[in-house]
Amino acid sequence: MGTVHPRKRKDGTTSYQAQVFIRRSGEIVHREVRTFDRKQAAAAWLEVRENELSTPAGLALAHHKDPVLSDIIDRYVDESLKAIRKTKGQVLKSIKSFELADLHASKITSEDLVAFARELNKTRTPQTAGNYISHLAAIFTIARPAWGYRLSDQAMKDAVTVCKRLGLISKSRERDRRPTLEELDDLLTHYRDRETRTNSMPMTKIVPFAMFSTRRQEEIVRIKWSDLDERNARVLVRDMKNPGEKVGNDVWCDLPPEALKIALSMPKVADEIFPYSVHAVTKSFTNTCKLLDIDDLHFHDLRHDGISRLFELGHSIPRTACVSGHKSWASLKRYTHIREWGDKYAGWKWFDMAFAPYLSEMANGKVRSPNGSTKRRR
């Protein structure tokens, strides 16, 4: 009816997993798992639990809406009508591998959640641990009102308070990295030379467009020609990232003159203005920075640079937000790192190439796909 199995933790220590299950007509009708630091404690719990379940009301009480956390996570994923994004899905799957996931809902306390955060900090940063707790907290919020499970939302709130005070979780670090003119010159020189030899992605256009439009890489590759409003110099950014709901959050954003010119210089060979994958753009940028010994520069830093530039030009907060798409100053200010007043890109030598019509196989009715093949004009 029950067993005890040793289980190696990631830190090299051994825990003991006690499993108790009941079969009826050859099928398992009840299963419980608890993890202990000592084998003796696991065996003692197993003996007590088996006696409890053997009573006439034992099984009925066990089935009184008190599943283990891993089962609640599975139900959350299965029943959520909102798409579970890749990162969130990976986090929830990872949580199920921790001992916390073996606990029944009614048994999970703030102490258990703090201990979980401590375990995360052994192999992860406080910022990553904060993401884990945040995704788990969403389940605690709805478990009782939606399904009647005895997960304590207050226990989660108390644990978050403690974890923040102890430094076990924190928000992601704010970056202030912006590309220098010299670094951009090295990048674009490399991309220009490569584009003249091969039919590669037009990074000499994508990089400047990212800066002057302030768009994220996943937004850039989604923009369709039908989303571009040339007359009013704006673009419809679909599924824009925001703290709440991302899917369906379509926002019109103004396009600065430089960004609009770059977009209009692309040939209309596909539905998208930049018909490439996020992975291809990010990989190209990251690999090129490594090749050129450009340290700690991310593609997303181009967005930081573009937003900061708008403030350096003297734009107001509302006017800048109309370009970036931010809804509050609290979120917008994270992207503002003003270094000087005026336009450091005045007379920039790469404008001529960025604005010029893009000539390659694309001009002949083909568009290069991320895997190196070409697709005919639709």
Side-chain angles (χ1 to χ4, degrees), residues 7-52:
R7 181 179 178 181
K8 282 289 185 182
R9 295 190 177 104
K10 294 181 180 180
D11 62 2
T13 61
T14 300
S15 63
Y16 295 89
Q17 190 177 75
Q19 297 187 38
V20 57
F21 53 89
I22 299 175
R23 292 181 183 273
R24 293 286 188 271
S25 302
E27 295 185 2
I28 296 178
V29 296
H30 178 74
R31 177 177 177 270
E32 289 184 40
V33 180
R34 286 284 300 272
T35 303
F36 300 86
D37 292 332
R38 298 168 56 248
K39 184 176 181 179
Q40 294 88 337
W45 174 84
L46 186 61
E47 181 179 357
V48 171
R49 194 64 184 127
E50 286 178 340
N51 290 333
E52 291 174 346

Side-chain angles (χ1 to χ4, degrees), residues 205 223-231 260-276 357-368 375-378:
K205 291 185 175 293
I223 298 175
K224 297 182 178 181
W225 285 103
S226 58
D227 297 329
L228 181 65
D229 181 358
E230 180 182 355
R231 180 179 179 182
L260 180 60
K261 289 181 181 179
I262 295 171
L264 294 175
S265 72
M266 294 295 294
K268 295 183 178 180
V269 297
D271 291 338
E272 299 82 11
I273 298 176
F274 300 100
Y276 305 95
Y358 179 57
L359 300 176
S360 69
E361 285 191 27
M362 293 180 73
N364 296 321
K366 300 177 182 179
V367 56
R368 189 174 182 83
K375 297 185 290 185
R376 286 288 179 183
R377 184 194 301 268
R378 296 178 182 179

